[in-house]
Amino acid sequence: MSSKSVENSIITDLGLAPEGHLKIDWVEAHMPVLNKVRKQFEAEQPFKGLKVAISLHLEAKTAYLAKVIQAGGADVTITGSNPLSTQDDVCAALVEDGVTVFAKYNPEPKEYKELMIRALETKPDLIIDDGGDLVTILHAERPELLETVRGGAEETTTGILRLKALEKEGALKFPMVAVNDAYCKYLFDNRYGTGQSVWDGINRTTNLVVAGKTVVVVGYGWCGKGVAMRAKGLGANVIVTEIDAIKAVEAYMDGFRVMPMHEAAREGDFFVTVTGNRDVITGEHYDVMKDGAILSNAGHFDVEVNKPELQARCQSVRTVRRNIEEYQLKDGRKIYLLAEGRLVNLAAGDGHPAEIMDMTFALQALSLKYVNDLHNSIGSRVVNVPYELDEQVARYKLESLGMGIDQLSEVQKSYLDSWAEH
């Protein structure tokens, strides 16, 4: 146990560490790709002498990522990226393992932000961000802390949108790798990870059957595709709402009904928002919803379901089960909101499966090494994960499964490279 991490950290209870260690040990045993990266880092020490600040959903899989980066020589500080997804026992275990932690489950909004700022006040050389929160604080509120930052990596669609807006204004001060846009992130994490974990969270929270119900999936990006696919597998009748005509046609050809939200609002039993935008379910939709409709969100921020407009229509609010708030409307109907409209898969569940985050967090770790190695030549912009790193993670995954793939022969390579010999 590091006395430095114990003295500097702000957590709920160090005594919770034993349970946290068990959780971390479990995911480590199911993250073979990240284990391979850890061995590489232990040998190469790419972060020796550097400080790394991480803001991610602070549960066991994230904790293991922090330990892998620490194994690469870094002095690691970590904070949460959502007040309801932080697990206090995992925080305690990390502190015992020498990681400085500024995080608690469900702190007040002011304290939640202060904990993020404390992580940045360590003056990191590199950052890993989720939703762009660290980058936003650095640029908008604490620019004096920018001086040491070489670059970082961003986990989410929402965060990349914020980064690109900052870059477009010419205000971004260091390079950031768009990890979310890598194939091994969105094809697997966003689709299979979100698809499974959203329904894990909804099912364990509500204890209700999905089969035969109507599920409205709001947004048909990669996350929405996963949520819709798993809802269909559970026996639901699935409706998709979209603003993008191409994605709407795709949803239709995938076998789902497509309609505007004001029509879908009348039919849904379960609603899952996955747009990354605000106010996709609002007052006009509450006005026509069924009695007993269940609302949930799987986008980064708790703004997709408009809570003030729901509150304005109700005569009472009560918590009927953990992570379920019952809003009784003035006309007697009841609408249920899961996990305060925050990420239902993390606030009301354990997040994505370990095998899925294995690939994503391997990308994060390798991308952090990449941006550190080349930060002087990249410039202050948003860059994609190099294809070579993306493919490396996929090959590690295949190796862990005991699978091989074919390779092009020299004749085949020559054929593909030629324009004349076809």
Side-chain angles (χ1 to χ4, degrees):
M1 186 187 304
S2 166
S3 59
K4 178 186 171 185
S5 62
V6 173
E7 292 169 5
N8 294 342
S9 295
I10 299 175
I11 62 173
T12 297
D13 183 1
L14 190 62
L16 298 172
E19 184 65 27
H21 285 300
L22 290 174
K23 289 181 177 180
I24 297 170
D25 290 346
W26 172 259
V27 300
E28 179 181 350
H30 294 87
M31 300 181 87
V33 179
L34 201 52
N35 286 335
K36 195 150 187 152
V37 174
R38 180 174 184 164
K39 289 181 181 179
Q40 175 187 334
F41 282 4
E42 286 174 338
E44 298 176 1
Q45 293 291 289
F47 308 121
K48 187 175 182 179
L50 300 180
K51 295 179 181 178
V52 176
I54 301 172
S55 173
L56 289 170
H57 297 285
L58 221 174
E59 42 77 53
K61 299 176 288 291
T62 301
Y64 188 52
L65 170 64
K67 291 181 65 174
V68 168
I69 292 169
Q70 182 188 47
D75 180 358
V76 179
T77 299
I78 193 165
T79 187
S81 65
N82 183 302
L84 296 185
S85 63
T86 295
Q87 297 183 10
D88 289 326
D89 51 359
V90 170
C91 293
L94 276 178
V95 171
E96 284 198 342
D97 287 337
V99 174
T100 301
V101 181
F102 297 111
K104 298 177 180 179
Y105 174 75
N106 201 21
E108 292 297 320
K110 183 179 179 181
E111 184 183 14
Y112 170 68
K113 187 172 183 180
E114 287 173 350
L115 292 170
M116 276 193 175
I117 293 171
R118 287 292 295 269
L120 291 172
E121 287 177 340
T122 63
K123 297 184 177 180
D125 300 283
L126 298 164
I127 65 170
I128 293 178
D129 208 357
D130 188 310
D133 289 341
L134 293 184
V135 169
T136 299
I137 292 170
L138 283 169
H139 286 75
E141 299 177 38
R142 299 298 300 272
E144 77 277 9
L145 299 175
L146 283 165
E147 184 178 350
T148 61
V149 182
R150 299 180 177 187
E154 168 57 47
E155 173 80 0
T156 67
T157 304
T158 300
I160 290 170
L161 290 173
R162 298 175 85 184
L163 284 171
K164 288 184 175 177
L166 196 61
E167 179 186 26
K168 187 176 180 180
E169 292 178 8
L172 185 62
K173 299 299 184 183
F174 49 78
M176 288 290 291
V177 182
V179 172
N180 182 76
D181 291 352
Y183 288 112
C184 282
K185 175 27 166 104
Y186 68 77
L187 287 179
F188 308 115
D189 181 311
N190 292 10
R191 178 169 40 170
Y192 298 105
T194 305
Q196 178 169 322
S197 63
V198 160
W199 288 105
D200 285 346
I202 292 173
N203 289 339
R204 75 160 63 172
T205 301
T206 64
N207 195 32
L208 298 176
V209 72
V210 179
K213 303 283 180 63
T214 297
V215 171
V216 178
V217 179
V218 188
Y220 204 66
W222 286 102
C223 292
K225 291 172 190 174
V227 171
M229 175 175 62
R230 291 292 174 246
K232 183 178 181 179
L234 289 167
N237 303 302
V238 181
I239 295 171
V240 170
T241 72
E242 251 300 340
I243 59 166
D244 185 305
I246 296 171
K247 291 178 181 177
V249 173
E250 183 181 15
Y252 165 75
M253 291 193 175
D254 284 343
F256 304 121
R257 298 166 65 199
V258 177
M259 63 184 69
M261 188 62 206
H262 71 269
E263 295 179 17
R266 299 177 181 275
E267 299 195 31
D269 298 298
F270 290 94
F271 294 80
V272 185
T273 59
V274 272
T275 70
N277 207 341
R278 62 175 299 151
D279 300 333
V280 294
I281 298 182
T282 62
E284 65 174 302
H285 307 128
Y286 306 136
D287 291 342
V288 299
M289 282 183 180
K290 295 178 181 178
D291 181 25
I294 296 171
L295 313 181
S296 64
N297 169 50
H300 184 76
F301 294 112
D302 59 336
V303 296
E304 302 207 18
V305 177
N306 188 308
K307 292 186 285 186
E309 292 187 13
L310 181 57
Q311 180 75 49
R313 283 164 168 74
C314 75
Q315 61 184 2
S316 65
V317 182
R318 62 173 182 156
T319 300
V320 291
R321 284 171 62 98
R322 183 179 180 184
N323 284 317
I324 305 180
E325 292 174 300
E326 176 193 84
Y327 288 78
Q328 182 161 8
L329 305 186
K330 294 172 184 176
D331 62 7
R333 287 178 298 128
K334 295 175 181 177
I335 292 177
Y336 299 96
L337 179 64
L338 306 187
E340 300 178 9
R342 299 185 184 276
L343 280 161
V344 71
N345 52 341
L346 279 147
D350 286 323
H352 293 0
E355 298 98 328
I356 292 294
M357 295 311 298
D358 187 25
M359 299 175 72
T360 295
F361 282 166
L363 277 173
Q364 282 283 12
L366 292 171
S367 294
L368 200 67
K369 179 182 182 299
Y370 168 75
V371 79
N372 181 56
D373 290 345
L374 299 176
H375 67 278
N376 287 324
S377 59
I378 294 174
S380 298
R381 58 194 180 95
V382 182
V383 296
N384 291 327
V385 175
Y387 181 77
E388 293 76 14
L389 293 185
D390 217 352
E391 188 183 40
Q392 180 182 348
V393 168
R395 288 187 179 276
Y396 284 172
K397 179 64 176 177
L398 287 173
E399 288 175 16
S400 76
L401 296 170
M403 296 180 183
I405 58 174
D406 292 321
Q407 296 184 12
L408 293 174
S409 69
E410 292 303 317
V411 172
Q412 288 173 320
K413 290 178 184 177
S414 176
Y415 179 81
L416 292 175
D417 289 339
S418 170
W419 63 270
E421 299 175 6
H422 283 260

